[in-house]
Amino acid sequence: YRDLHTFELQAPTRLIEWARESRVCVAGYGQSDGNEILQLIPPPTLQTKETQGLCPERDFKVECGGFSKRPVYSLKYVPDTSLLVTSGPPDSSLQVWQTSAEDSDVIKSVSTIATENGTGQPWAKIATISARAPWVLHGSRLDSVQITEVESRKNVYTAASRGSEELSSLAFLDCNTLLLCCATGQLCLADIRQPQSPVEAVSVPPAPCGEQWCMGTRRGIQGSEPSSQPVARLSSRGLLTLTDLRKTSESLASAKARVPSPGSGAEFLCVSWAPALEGCLAISGFDGTVHVYDTQSWDSSGREAEPIFVHKGHAFSGAGGSGDPPLVTVHTWHLQKPRTLLSAASDGSLHVWDWVQPCGKC
């Protein structure tokens, strides 16, 4: 490691979200009615673009916080605002939160975005954007995807779909184009300028049956076409496929990650592209580790890939409350520091780590 920071939270955490002014937001997913939502100030060394030497202050600080009456399974910061949007069981509704004003350290609930026929539906996956106005893209199934204006709660777009497959991930490719990933691995595109047109299934190679899938989209270089950025899909058995949306009939590349198959479902699967490292991505959700891969040498053979770094800190930090080894529930990349990641685990541990640059482009 080049650097490692740790912070202990009071409950299992499955969300990490960068907010304004490089703040970090986290939330708990327990079943009680007191799930914390916290906004943390990172250690000073993480708030500068250049890596500094020794720093006397190495801890996160709680800037403000609040409590959710339901488990928080997804949390997104709304860009250019002070709002957070969360979702979680028992239905597909969304909760909107206001982070603290200057004279308060409370994150307070300000509204709820209800969804039609949302009772009994799985919790909603969400994505946010502020290209035109503060919008949230949300849905639990392919036939329930919509965009809502966060502040007015006005419906902006409802996707037309004949299918009802459960969603695992969704994303804005730009302010007009949406990409949806079903739990079965199917990718679908939608254009909000054509609200009456059905969601278009992308003709990607079929995914193996019986596996659960999630996706990660890469933020493109300023001015580049969103479709030019590859989409990574990760399966519950560790299969990784890269897809170029301009030529979807064949995989751009594929590989098998060196990870154990999850024994209790695939609810914590996570794959994400490094924003400042060409061709690098990270995966987690199988055990107490986070694996980083360089995809630039991958081909379509699907052979096992060697990670360039494995973060094992959560696995060594102790067992969770049930006595089981901690499971990494989520990870995310630092927005400016190329090799810095944040990860959280089921034992409430929050780690920030930066590995020493190995030989090669990463």
Side-chain angles (χ1 to χ4, degrees), residues 141-216:
R141 298 188 182 278
L142 202 54
D143 56 359
S144 67
V145 175
Q146 56 186 316
I147 297 175
T148 303
E149 191 172 297
V150 177
E151 294 171 315
S152 67
R153 288 174 284 172
K154 176 184 177 182
N155 178 268
V156 175
Y157 166 83
T158 299
S161 174
R162 302 181 187 92
S164 59
E165 293 87 347
E166 186 172 348
L167 293 173
S168 64
S169 322
L170 40 71
F172 284 100
L173 293 181
D174 57 31
C175 60
N176 295 314
T177 313
L178 317 176
L179 182 64
L180 317 172
C181 180
C182 299
T184 57
Q186 178 68 58
L187 294 177
C188 298
L189 282 168
D191 191 326
I192 68 173
R193 294 166 295 187
Q194 302 172 357
Q196 302 305 316
S197 299
V199 172
E200 177 187 356
V202 179
S203 58
V204 294
C209 295
E211 297 188 33
Q212 298 292 302
W213 292 78
C214 68
M215 76 169 180

Side-chain angles (χ1 to χ4, degrees), residues 8-329:
E8 296 302 319
L9 301 165
Q10 296 300 311
T13 301
R14 66 177 293 162
L15 292 310
I16 304 174
E17 175 75 358
W18 287 103
R20 56 178 180 167
E21 298 175 350
S22 296
R23 297 317 197 242
V24 177
C25 294
V26 297
Y29 65 91
Q31 298 301 317
S32 67
D33 59 357
N35 294 286
E36 282 188 302
I37 300 177
L38 301 176
Q39 182 166 289
L40 307 175
I41 302 175
T45 55
L46 292 181
Q47 299 184 59
T48 59
K49 292 187 178 181
E50 298 297 328
T51 301
Q52 296 181 336
L54 293 176
C55 180
E57 182 55 67
R58 297 180 57 82
D59 259 344
F60 283 83
K61 292 184 177 179
V62 177
E63 184 175 39
C64 54
F67 289 94
S68 171
K69 293 183 178 180
R70 60 171 67 198
V72 181
Y73 276 29
S74 186
L75 177 151
K76 293 294 180 182
Y77 166 66
V78 183
D80 304 321
T81 72
S82 58
L83 299 174
L84 302 172
V85 180
T86 64
S87 66
D91 54 38
S92 61
S93 65
L94 310 182
Q95 290 68 51
V96 182
W97 304 81
Q98 175 79 51
T99 55
S100 67
E102 293 182 0
D103 58 347
S104 173
D105 60 359
V106 175
I107 296 177
K108 62 179 181 179
S109 175
V110 293
S111 65
T112 297
I113 298 175
T115 53
E116 187 176 354
N117 300 322
T119 302
Q121 293 290 321
W123 60 277
K125 284 65 179 181
I126 55 180
T128 54
I129 195 172
S130 286
R132 301 175 182 172
W135 285 355
V136 57
L137 167 66
H138 56 104
S140 58
R141 298 188 182 278
L142 202 54
D143 56 359
S144 67
V145 175
Q146 56 186 316
I147 297 175
T148 303
E149 191 172 297
V150 177
E151 294 171 315
S152 67
R153 288 174 284 172
K154 176 184 177 182
N155 178 268
V156 175
Y157 166 83
T158 299
S161 174
R162 302 181 187 92
S164 59
E165 293 87 347
E166 186 172 348
L167 293 173
S168 64
S169 322
L170 40 71
F172 284 100
L173 293 181
D174 57 31
C175 60
N176 295 314
T177 313
L178 317 176
L179 182 64
L180 317 172
C181 180
C182 299
T184 57
Q186 178 68 58
L187 294 177
C188 298
L189 282 168
D191 191 326
I192 68 173
R193 294 166 295 187
Q194 302 172 357
Q196 302 305 316
S197 299
V199 172
E200 177 187 356
V202 179
S203 58
V204 294
C209 295
E211 297 188 33
Q212 298 292 302
W213 292 78
C214 68
M215 76 169 180
T217 55
R218 185 178 177 189
R219 297 178 182 178
I221 301 171
Q222 188 69 28
S224 68
E225 289 293 326
S227 60
S228 69
Q229 304 303 317
V231 176
R233 288 180 297 160
L234 171 66
S235 84
S236 53
R237 294 184 183 176
L239 180 63
L240 280 157
T241 65
L242 309 183
T243 302
D244 186 337
L245 292 178
R246 298 168 299 181
K247 188 179 180 181
T248 60
S249 58
E250 58 187 51
S251 293
L252 188 65
S254 63
K256 177 70 169 64
R258 189 176 295 178
V259 293
S261 297
S264 56
E267 61 178 326
F268 298 119
L269 285 184
C270 183
V271 56
S272 62
W273 286 102
L277 287 178
E278 185 65 30
C280 282
L281 57 76
I283 66 170
S284 63
F286 297 88
D287 52 19
T289 65
V290 181
H291 289 214
V292 181
Y293 291 90
D294 181 0
T295 69
Q296 295 180 93
S297 62
W298 290 5
D299 54 28
S300 58
S301 65
R303 61 172 177 255
E304 186 174 89
E306 181 76 24
I308 60 173
F309 188 79
V310 179
H311 174 59
K312 301 179 181 180
H314 296 285
F316 295 139
S317 64
S322 63
D324 298 325
L327 172 68
V328 173
T329 55

